[in-house]
Amino acid sequence: MSKLKEFDFPVEASHILMFARAVGDANPVYADPGSEAARAAGGVLAPPTFCQASAQFDPDYFLRPKIGGKWFGSGAEPTGDPEYLKGGVGSGLHAEQHFEYHRHPRPGDRLTATVRSGKTWEKQGRRGGTLSFSESITEYRDQDGELVVTARSIGVKTSQVVEQE
Amino acid sequence: MALEAGAVKVGDRYEVVVVEDLKRTQIVQYAGASGDYNPLHTDEIFATEVAGYPKVFAHGMLTMGLTGRMVTDYVGDGALKKYGVRFKAQVWPGDTLTASATVEAVREEDGEAVVDLAISTVNQDGVEVISGSATARLAD
């Protein structure tokens, strides 16, 4: 398992609020420190999949347009970067995601995300084409060096468009 | 309010409609919050004309997040020890998703009572879009 990258992930109350809204969760434990839910939980918490939003703080994250950089989404043309497609259709899809919680992050935590590569393997798709799987493991440690969340992600790259089930 | 050990048994099932008629705007909202701005999810022109999909589709992690709301509604805040899913089918604008948790085991782990759940989310046609599992701490 080689280390791919490491970056700081400050956990902020407004980011948790926006994330909870986006996943349709009105639980006040994610939004209101004065709520009964937050008091019972010892303060505001982050929702279970919140660590995925660490992408906001990954300086090199490839699915965020970079100021002054090329972007493969549409503008005057359907794609702003035809080169992008040479890597295959789309940039790969998410196959599995697993979280293990040692505790749940809270606003004010200053997490460090350390991403390591895991296993890789290939499989023949049911409709032809080769599926290439790769695993990555991200450890989120807090300001005291304690492990908070371990995330394991499996991505799949396809040699053709994934058809609807 | 955490789920209590005495109030849960194998086979119990909890179900919530976590989104009705999913809007493209909610997918964009998730892109903005999560930081995953992949145009496959947010840019219908790119998704159809360049990538060859019938329309944009939701991030798998949006479906996992929507489903997570069902899980935490059931087990309580801060109780989750593990939560994992496999993405099985795409979720499209207009989909209505129902997420469910079924109790598979009630047991001890590290000196505390925990519950193991099987997780499944299906669309309006009954197609499973994610399947997974979760383990949560139970209250005494």
Side-chain angles (χ1 to χ4, degrees):
Chain A
M1 295 220 306
S2 58
K3 186 153 125 183
L4 299 175
K5 56 186 161 189
E6 189 167 279
F7 56 92
D8 292 337
F9 173 29
V11 178
E12 295 162 355
S14 57
H15 192 194
I16 292 176
L17 171 79
M18 290 186 283
F19 188 90
R21 283 179 180 165
V23 297
D25 198 330
N27 189 337
V29 77
Y30 305 130
D32 179 4
S35 64
E36 198 177 314
R39 277 199 296 270
V44 166
L45 296 175
T49 61
F50 179 73
C51 279
Q52 194 71 9
S54 64
Q56 297 278 16
F57 297 92
D58 174 352
D60 305 320
Y61 188 59
F62 71 111
L63 294 173
R64 177 179 67 245
K66 305 297 186 302
I67 296 167
K70 275 192 174 177
W71 178 244
F72 59 101
S74 67
E77 299 297 327
T79 177
D81 185 4
E83 289 295 304
Y84 167 81
L85 290 179
K86 292 187 177 165
V89 174
S91 58
L93 295 171
H94 205 165
E96 290 185 37
Q97 181 68 38
H98 302 270
F99 294 103
E100 188 176 350
Y101 309 96
H102 309 283
R103 70 174 175 84
H104 290 267
R106 296 180 182 279
D109 274 330
R110 296 201 64 85
L111 303 180
T112 301
T114 306
V115 187
R116 291 185 175 80
S117 58
K119 292 178 287 189
T120 59
W121 66 98
E122 288 197 341
K123 207 165 101 175
Q124 284 305 116
R126 275 175 294 169
R127 300 176 194 85
T130 305
L131 304 175
S132 306
F133 293 88
S134 61
E135 184 186 53
S136 75
I137 291 113
T138 306
E139 286 186 348
Y140 296 91
R141 289 183 183 274
D142 67 11
Q143 45 285 350
D144 302 318
E146 295 292 327
L147 192 54
V148 177
V149 174
T150 307
R152 187 164 64 87
S153 175
I154 298 173
V156 59
K157 283 194 177 183
T158 55
S159 55
Q160 61 184 43
V161 168
V162 177
E163 288 178 28
Q164 193 175 357
E165 289 288 314
Chain B
M1 213 26 209
L3 195 58
E4 290 182 11
V8 61
K9 60 182 189 304
V10 173
D12 284 357
R13 190 165 180 280
Y14 181 77
E15 179 182 289
V16 175
V17 174
V18 291
V19 70
E20 280 182 81
D21 183 13
L22 175 67
K23 306 299 191 291
R24 285 170 179 77
T25 307
Q26 186 167 3
I27 299 174
V28 170
Q29 187 181 21
Y30 183 78
S34 69
D36 179 346
Y37 299 94
N38 193 335
L40 284 176
H41 306 306
T42 57
D43 181 340
E44 193 111 349
I45 292 171
F46 175 86
T48 56
E49 295 183 24
V50 179
Y53 288 94
K55 45 189 167 177
V56 293
F57 54 94
H59 308 71
M61 289 306 297
L62 171 54
T63 306
M64 186 179 190
L66 291 165
T67 300
R69 184 204 124 196
M70 176 281 295
V71 180
T72 49
D73 279 358
Y74 186 43
V75 302
D77 301 327
L80 270 180
K81 297 184 78 175
K82 279 183 184 176
Y83 174 35
V85 304
R86 176 175 294 193
F87 302 102
K88 300 189 70 178
Q90 277 153 323
V91 170
W92 306 94
D95 279 359
T96 292
L97 301 180
T98 303
S100 67
T102 305
V103 175
E104 297 232 299
V106 180
R107 61 187 176 86
E108 292 261 318
E109 182 178 274
D110 306 328
E112 56 188 6
V114 299
V115 61
D116 292 325
L117 304 170
I119 307 293
S120 175
T121 299
V122 298
N123 67 18
Q124 63 284 355
D125 299 320
V127 174
E128 188 170 56
V129 293
I130 62 176
S131 69
S133 61
T135 299
R137 200 172 287 116
L138 293 169
D140 294 330

